[in-house]
Amino acid sequence: MKHFIALLMIGLTCACNGQDSSKTSSTAMDKDLPAVAFSQVHVPSKSALWFDNILDQKWKKPTDPRQVSKYIRTIFQDKTGSFWLGTNSDGVVKMRGNEFEYFSLERGLSGSTVRAIWEDSNQAMWFATNNGITKYIKHSYTRFSANLGPAYDEIWSMKVDRKGIFWLGTAGGVLKFDGTKFTKFELPLAKSTVQPLVSRNLVWSIMEDQDGAIWFGTDGSGAYKYDGNTIQHIGKEEGLASDRVTNIVQDRKGAIWFASEDAGVTNYSHGKYTRIGVEQGLCHSSIWSIYEDRTGNLWFTSLGGGVSKYNGTSFTNYKETKGVTKNHVQSILEDANGNIWLGFSGGLFRLDNGVIVNIRRMEGC
């Protein structure tokens, strides 16, 4: 695979450690903006186009207009039970029962690609997009930009820590946002021979562990752990399966799991790294996300192999079998009722009695 997008992001990062940038924000009211149909919003970023190209390889099946969106990048359920779906090119979709509401650039979103969603204590919704952050509450949108160049507005991951600080993984590196200003958080340059898919500065995943340490998964530079004082680098030399770390999760037993784009997953427990791949039963070597459900099962979504469930002993693999997708699974969520929802390249799906079922706009939840 030729990684032709990588050069686009290199050289966009500058300035010294700890540089602050006053927030750039703007506000719009939903009622003042025209409603738009979901088919009208398609303004993907260059990085989103790269991701589309990866998912579309050898798959020319046209998109079913009944699908919620072509790519469901993240799934979130709010305190009222509504679902919020971040898409690769259609902004945000709010789903409640059979009702679907689309939030677009025209309505006030800062970007059409939405990769992370969070709800605060005031029931405001926060969306990490390919063009900064959008806060939405009571039909009002407030858009925030780091004002540090396009790479730093291209947000790939977002984590709000226990202190209420936003950690943002961007194409330019890591940012901290306290609601007032953005601050660059520099990760030390790591030695790696792995070619990044987009940019070595890109941070795919951010996780806060049980002790409050912040972990970062990068595109070609392995993983980093920040304990509040020091930054530790973890790469292939330390035991990871790959330096392309797409997701990091800590399970309820305290083990750290690293997903990789090209070499399965790595488990770190009791000071030991263990690599797990297709030989052990994993559905695919390209793993995009890891999710722990309420019973302690771990789920691994893949780019091409569907999804794996691991009960601590063995794997159970699930695939979409009707030809609607190529089994690229980008997101996963267990809802308040214990249902497993999956965001595919091809639409929204749910696991019903061991079968992956397509949920379309005419049907809902």
Side-chain angles (χ1 to χ4, degrees):
M1 179 171 49
K2 296 183 180 297
H3 311 305
F4 56 91
I5 301 297
L7 294 176
L8 293 174
M9 298 301 176
I10 297 174
L12 291 176
T13 59
C14 59
C16 59
N17 286 338
Q19 176 181 344
D20 291 347
S21 174
S22 299
K23 71 178 182 182
T24 299
S25 64
S26 59
T27 302
M29 294 300 295
D30 211 12
K31 64 181 180 181
D32 297 327
L33 295 162
V36 295
F38 118 99
S39 60
Q40 290 178 283
V41 184
H42 191 87
V43 191
S45 65
K46 292 178 179 179
S47 294
L49 286 172
W50 160 81
F51 198 85
D52 285 4
N53 291 334
I54 295 293
L55 302 180
D56 278 338
Q57 288 182 65
K58 301 181 181 179
W59 186 41
K60 304 303 180 183
K61 189 178 181 68
T63 302
D64 185 337
R66 294 172 296 176
Q67 298 295 346
V68 177
S69 181
K70 189 175 181 180
Y71 301 119
I72 309 295
R73 291 302 308 272
T74 186
I75 308 172
F76 184 90
Q77 187 175 31
D78 68 21
K79 296 178 179 68
T80 70
S82 296
F83 293 88
W84 299 78
L85 314 174
T87 76
N88 226 37
S89 55
D90 295 315
V92 175
V93 184
K94 182 181 181 182
M95 180 178 72
R96 189 169 184 85
N98 294 319
E99 297 180 355
F100 293 83
E101 182 179 4
Y102 286 78
F103 296 78
S104 62
L105 293 170
E106 285 86 345
R107 289 184 65 177
L109 277 184
S110 54
S112 59
T113 302
V114 178
R115 303 186 178 105
I117 301 173
W118 180 70
E119 180 183 19
D120 67 22
S121 59
N122 296 316
Q123 295 187 311
M125 303 301 300
W126 294 78
F127 308 114
T129 82
N130 62 313
N131 189 33
I133 302 174
T134 302
K135 177 184 178 181
Y136 173 75
I137 185 169
K138 297 180 180 179
H139 305 288
S140 175
Y141 301 79
T142 304
R143 298 177 289 267
F144 300 91
S145 170
N147 200 28
L148 291 169
Y152 284 97
D153 282 334
E154 180 84 32
I155 303 173
W156 283 79
S157 54
M158 177 174 71
K159 174 65 182 178
V160 183
D161 67 21
R162 61 192 65 181
K163 298 177 182 178
I165 300 297
F166 286 77
W167 294 83
L168 306 172
T170 79
V174 179
L175 294 176
K176 294 173 67 177
F177 177 58
D178 64 3
T180 302
K181 64 179 182 297
F182 291 86
T183 304
K184 290 177 68 174
F185 183 85
E186 299 282 0
L187 297 175
L189 184 64
K191 294 181 180 179
S192 177
T193 60
V194 175
Q195 179 70 23
L197 292 178
V198 180
S199 165
R200 204 174 297 282
N201 297 316
L202 191 149
V203 177
W204 266 329
S205 176
I206 304 178
M207 184 270 290
E208 182 180 22
D209 68 21
Q210 296 166 3
D211 297 322
I214 307 297
W215 297 69
F216 309 94
T218 73
D219 179 16
S221 293
Y224 295 84
K225 176 185 178 182
Y226 173 61
D227 63 5
N229 295 301
T230 60
I231 300 174
Q232 175 189 1
H233 174 256
I234 304 110
K236 287 191 69 175
E237 291 185 2
E238 286 73 29
L240 291 186
S242 171
D243 282 330
R244 293 178 186 158
V245 180
T246 51
N247 198 215
I248 307 175
V249 166
Q250 183 176 36
D251 66 27
R252 63 189 60 192
K253 297 179 181 178
I256 306 293
W257 294 81
F258 304 86
S260 76
E261 183 275 334
D262 56 352
V265 300
T266 305
N267 169 277
Y268 178 70
S269 181
H270 304 294
K272 179 182 179 182
Y273 292 92
T274 302
R275 301 181 182 184
I276 301 171
V278 294
E279 299 82 2
Q280 288 74 37
L282 193 63
C283 63
H284 201 274
S285 60
S286 183
I287 301 300
W288 189 251
S289 62
I290 306 172
Y291 185 84
E292 184 178 24
D293 67 25
R294 64 185 63 180
T295 63
N297 295 312
L298 288 171
W299 298 77
F300 304 91
T301 73
S302 76
L303 297 186
V307 60
S308 289
K309 180 177 75 172
Y310 180 62
N311 63 9
T313 303
S314 61
F315 288 92
T316 302
N317 297 328
Y318 303 91
K319 282 189 173 183
E320 187 275 315
T321 60
K322 297 185 181 299
V324 179
T325 80
K326 286 290 289 183
N327 279 290
H328 298 288
V329 186
Q330 303 170 57
S331 53
I332 181 170
L333 173 78
E334 181 182 23
D335 69 21
N337 296 319
N339 299 306
I340 298 294
W341 294 82
L342 301 163
F344 273 73
S345 55
L348 179 66
F349 292 77
R350 186 176 62 211
L351 189 62
D352 290 346
N353 297 317
V355 178
I356 293 178
V357 178
N358 188 199
I359 304 299
R360 296 175 295 188
R361 286 194 291 163
M362 311 305 181
E363 297 150 0
C365 56

